Amino acid sequence: AVVSTQSTGAQVDQAREARREESEDSYDTSSLDSDLHAESEEEMREYMRELEGQLGKSTLGESFEKGKDGDLDIDFNLVSNIMNSFSAESGLEGPASSVLASLGVKLPRNEDGF
């Protein structure tokens, strides 16, 4: 049997429209989305409170370098930590060299042991 693609396309469009109307009638998605958003925001706040409680006594924050304006210099800290990790690998393969290699960065091994 030969079926016209034009009539089949129209039938598919009609079926999609019917499903869309049916789903719109069954529930209001905007209230569901706002409920989920509020719930996830509250979960994130609770998570941050727990994290702050656990790290409150830590001196980890003191180990980060700050920029001239006193804000945390994320770029500098990232590069500094990767270089320190790379140096600690002592020429062997490790996490820092693997990450750098996946980014296409190949650093020469330091002959001075640094």
Side-chain angles (χ1 to χ4, degrees), residues 34-47:
S34 83
D35 289 347
L36 289 173
H37 181 69
E39 188 175 305
S40 65
E41 275 189 30
E42 184 53 39
E43 286 178 2
M44 183 57 79
R45 284 189 187 103
E46 178 61 28
Y47 174 77

Side-chain angles (χ1 to χ4, degrees), residues 3 6-7 11 15 17 19 28 30 32-33 35-36 42 54 66 73 78 81 83 88 94-95 98 101 106:
V3 177
Q6 189 174 24
S7 64
Q11 290 170 344
E17 181 65 24
R19 275 186 262 154
D28 181 13
S30 63
L32 179 62
D33 289 342
D35 289 347
L36 289 173
E42 184 53 39
Q54 292 173 5
K66 308 246 186 313
D73 188 345
L78 173 71
N81 287 330
M83 295 307 296
S98 296
K106 176 121 173 89

Side-chain angles (χ1 to χ4, degrees), residues 10-106:
Q11 290 170 344
V12 169
D13 290 342
Q14 288 173 347
R16 285 182 183 150
E17 181 65 24
R19 275 186 262 154
R20 187 184 61 75
E21 288 173 0
E22 187 178 288
S23 69
E24 285 177 356
D25 292 339
S26 63
Y27 61 89
D28 181 13
T29 59
S30 63
S31 65
L32 179 62
D33 289 342
S34 83
D35 289 347
L36 289 173
H37 181 69
E39 188 175 305
S40 65
E41 275 189 30
E42 184 53 39
E43 286 178 2
M44 183 57 79
R45 284 189 187 103
E46 178 61 28
Y47 174 77
M48 293 304 292
R49 281 192 291 272
E50 287 182 31
L51 186 61
E52 287 171 3
Q54 292 173 5
L55 296 176
K57 299 175 186 118
S58 172
T59 59
L60 180 66
E62 297 168 11
S63 67
F64 293 110
E65 294 292 325
K66 308 246 186 313
K68 293 178 183 176
D69 57 2
D71 289 339
L72 187 63
D73 188 345
I74 294 174
D75 294 334
F76 176 81
N77 284 285
L78 173 71
V79 172
S80 176
N81 287 330
I82 288 177
M83 295 307 296
N84 286 335
S85 295
F86 181 79
S87 178
E89 293 173 2
S90 300
L92 302 173
E93 291 296 319
S97 58
S98 296
V99 168
L100 291 170
S102 72
L103 296 171
V105 176
K106 176 121 173 89

